[in-house]
């Protein structure tokens, strides 16, 4: 179980009770543009999505909340895919929480935990036109590896090792 705190944030495992938040996040403009439609159009679909994630050991999904735990604002994930050598760091935040440093703070905290306790390397992929995410990855210390193709989509591959943390 993950329970991480920063000065402003509480980061914990995705729970069944996060269904309304997940439905809202997965239907946000940013998610649909840069990650893709997961067809989560109901609370029931969100519940099934969460259940699938929680049953998959190679998926670590954390919910980022205010320190008081009052409001969920985003997620940070570590997912093992078949097209990357390492777990893939992913992140998404509701639009109301953009531009306030929350994504950096949450990603840095999860990344530090992962590289200290779980993995020697972490990868990240991003669409070439997702400039904000690219800047975030670089500011976290990720190095550009190269372009890769996955499902006929070009992605930029970044990687970091535990020597950087």
């Amino acid at each position: 179980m993950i329970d991480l705190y920063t000065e402003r944030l509480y980061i914990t495992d995705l729970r069944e009770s996060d269904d309304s938040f997940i439905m809202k996040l997965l239907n946000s403009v940013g998610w649909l543009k840069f990650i893709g439609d997961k067809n989560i159009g109901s609370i029931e679909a969100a519940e099934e999505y969460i259940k699938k994630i929680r049953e998959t050991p190679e998926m670590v999904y954390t919910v980022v909340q205010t320190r008081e735990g009052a409001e969920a604002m985003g997620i940070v994930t570590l997912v093992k895919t078949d097209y990357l050598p390492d777990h893939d760091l992913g992140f998404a935040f509701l639009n109301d929480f953009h531009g306030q440093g929350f994504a950096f703070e949450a990603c840095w905290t999860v990344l530090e935990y992962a590289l200290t306790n779980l993995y020697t390397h972490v990868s990240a992929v991003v669409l070439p036109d997702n400039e904000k995410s690219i800047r975030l990855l670089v500011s976290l210390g990720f190095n550009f590896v190269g372009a890769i193709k996955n499902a006929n989509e070009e992605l930029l591959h970044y990687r970091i090792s535990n020597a950087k943390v």
Side-chain angles (χ1 to χ4, degrees), residues 125-152:
V125 292
V126 62
L127 292 170
D129 64 338
N130 192 342
E131 295 171 9
K132 288 181 180 180
S133 291
I134 292 169
R135 282 195 305 271
L136 177 58
L137 292 173
V138 170
S139 69
L140 288 167
F142 278 82
N143 295 306
F144 180 66
V145 176
I148 62 172
K149 284 216 181 247
N150 180 47
N152 297 322

Side-chain angles (χ1 to χ4, degrees), residues 30-96:
W31 184 285
L32 294 172
K33 180 177 180 182
F34 293 117
I35 299 171
D37 191 350
K38 301 290 186 195
N39 297 312
I40 306 298
S42 68
I43 291 295
E44 293 78 19
E47 290 169 351
E48 284 300 313
Y49 183 82
I50 292 169
K51 182 179 176 190
K52 179 181 171 189
I53 289 166
R54 291 179 53 86
E55 291 174 350
T56 306
E58 292 296 321
M59 291 184 165
V60 176
Y61 265 63
T62 63
V63 175
V64 181
Q65 303 173 351
T66 56
R67 175 82 183 203
E68 301 79 27
E71 186 173 10
M73 61 178 73
I75 60 170
V76 178
T77 64
L78 293 160
V79 176
K80 183 65 182 102
T81 66
D82 58 357
Y83 62 91
L84 291 173
D86 319 299
H87 277 73
D88 174 27
L89 177 78
F91 47 89
F93 284 75
L94 294 171
N95 196 50
D96 290 348

Side-chain angles (χ1 to χ4, degrees), residues 20-36:
S20 294
F21 163 70
I22 286 298
M23 189 171 109
K24 183 176 180 181
L25 181 66
L26 271 61
N27 287 291
S28 67
V29 173
W31 184 285
L32 294 172
K33 180 177 180 182
F34 293 117
I35 299 171

